[in-house]
Amino acid sequence: MDFSLAKKERLKSKKHIEKLFAEGRHVSNFPLKLVYLNTHFADRASLKAMVIAPKKNFKSAVSRNRIKRVLREAYRLNKHVVFNNIEGHYALAILYLGKEMPDYEMANHKMQGLLKKFNEEVSNEKTS
RNA sequence: ACGGCAGGCUACCUUAUCGCUCCGUUACGAACUUGUUGACUUACUAAAGUUGAGGUUUCAAUUUUUUUAAAAUACGAUGGUUUUUAUAAACGGGGAGGAAAGUCCGGACACCGUAGUGCGGCAUAGCGGGUAACACCCGUCACCUUGGCUUAAGGUCAAGGGCGGACAAGUGCAACAGAAAGCAAGUACAGUUCGGCUGUAGUGAAAUCAGGUAAACUCUAUGUGGUGAAACGUCAUGUAAACCAGUGUUUGAAAGCGGCACGCUUGAGCUGGAGGGUAGGCGGUUUGAGCUUUUGGGUAACCAAAAGUCUAGAUAAAUGAUAAGGGUUCGCGUGAAGUGAUAACAGAAUCCGGCUUACGGCCUGUUUUAAAA
RNA sequence: CGGGAUGUGGCGCAGCCCGGUUAGCGCACACGCCUGGGGGGCGUGGGGUCGCAGGUUCAAAUCCUGUCAUCCCGA
């Protein structure tokens, strides 16, 4: 099983990000929120993800870095849940909405829940 | 012993699994193909949605998805051929700070015309030294504060502070008190060479004294061109270098990032309307006023020489996560054992020298208080 | 990365440039009066480390230096 998170699996283009927030749909599992959009990429990656920690809730750069690292780690170890069950190409943005520092165990648990919800949402769209 | 102040050091470690980034090696690699593919755009096919007209399923506009075709290249990914070979990876190494912070000063570097003249603006301010430079650092003096000794005044020693040019150019300001706070007046007492001459008292921070005040305007001396890595160079850039109005072409528009004027340079566009397009890649970029050690010079800041050494380079932005063990400090406990918590402040963004602020631990010196001798 | 502004009673502001006698204004708050009561009006009163620290000065909200916080702007 592939746990890596290479450059091509990260969402980086400004254009894609603007499009994602303008047109994307969202699923949330507090304190996490996932914004996603079915699109396609130049380098044929099937999933591109980014992690966001808002400056409004966390003033310190150290805290924001810590949150992003924890969430990225949780995504990295759980992305197979989505990767193996999905068709099409998606841009993802994962936001942290809480106001307190997350620990890894909680983040991991919530991430699994969030990705499962995302799967259900996508398969519902397909069938309906 | 606790606390304060000053100075110095340090900024948890080891192992396992998984992950990120850069470099190197295997393998200096080189040449070719108009290879394939990737943003966006245009036309066409089909479907769905929205809006308007119309009035019962038509028309128009528009959005999204989709079919086919056209479509330039940097760059990325991925193939093929040739030269002597090869899986598309493996292995090895490096990877946040003392403040990376605030952006308060000074530089390097780059471009703007090698940037001229005048005015203005800004900064600095005892003296000497250090430095690439500084508003920084070192030394020192006037002066101030505290304490000791001594005294008629005062002097001297120790510690700490020490943002300090000019009011003998001009202008302004001075509450309350006071006769009077600056060109006008003058209380009381005493002295007197009899001159509104001198002294004392009283008010006040300051009282005819070259008065006080410049962290008041100002003056003096010195320095200062501007803009900042989204600087700048380079590769690529299909479609609009089109349309309408105004203005201008040697009688000079406009530009050249100065606050203004002069001067200088370029020399045909510029302004507005309505609209169209937009995508970046590479370099700059980490070898530098570098770091460590030793020796010599200097009160010191610092300088010189020799030897050794290479120490982050990301870009929607890496430097991490989990588990186990150990260490440090703190809490509970009289102590031991035990047990619980656990590093404070904080995250490079062109690079250096300072300043300021935040902050855990250890060491040294000094000092207050308490206890004991 | 660069530029700018603001901190004054519970809230919103003035005063600062050019220092001076008691730091004002509106709303809010408390008490009293007018009314049968409410609303409203009138009167009286309380409430201020002038963000923080240091300095200049006889004297600082005001001048100077440093610092903290908040907000805004450009790319």
Side-chain angles (χ1 to χ4, degrees):
Chain A
M1 198 167 288
D2 182 19
F3 289 116
S4 71
L5 187 64
K7 240 178 185 175
K8 59 192 286 188
E9 292 181 53
R10 283 180 260 159
L11 187 61
K12 300 171 99 165
S13 157
K14 184 173 180 179
K15 222 178 158 55
H16 278 131
I17 293 166
E18 277 172 1
K19 194 174 176 186
L20 171 62
F21 280 99
E23 303 173 12
R25 305 169 63 85
H26 57 87
V27 185
S28 71
N29 182 20
F30 190 83
L32 302 178
K33 178 175 175 181
L34 177 73
V35 180
Y36 64 94
L37 181 71
N38 192 334
T39 180
H40 57 278
F41 302 107
D43 54 9
R44 289 185 176 180
S46 60
L47 279 174
K48 274 178 182 286
M50 66 187 297
V51 165
I52 299 173
K55 197 169 189 177
K56 192 178 175 185
N57 292 343
F58 297 94
K59 295 283 180 194
S60 159
V62 175
S63 308
R64 291 199 302 276
N65 276 349
R66 167 82 187 168
I67 290 166
K68 285 194 282 185
R69 282 167 181 161
V70 166
L71 293 187
R72 195 153 50 220
E73 194 72 8
Y75 172 76
R76 179 173 72 79
L77 295 175
N78 290 305
K79 67 171 182 174
H80 61 273
V81 173
V82 174
F83 202 78
N84 296 337
N85 299 325
I86 210 162
E87 291 181 359
H89 307 303
Y90 284 89
L92 310 176
I94 299 163
L95 287 80
Y96 185 76
L97 301 176
K99 290 194 164 49
E100 288 168 12
M101 288 297 295
D103 59 353
Y104 174 75
E105 203 168 314
M106 188 272 275
N108 195 27
H109 183 73
K110 293 287 184 184
M111 183 63 73
Q112 286 174 5
L114 183 70
L115 294 180
K116 272 177 196 163
K117 269 179 138 177
F118 170 62
N119 267 346
E120 288 167 16
E121 198 74 15
V122 169
S123 54
N124 285 346
E125 278 176 24
K126 292 273 176 197
T127 52
S128 62

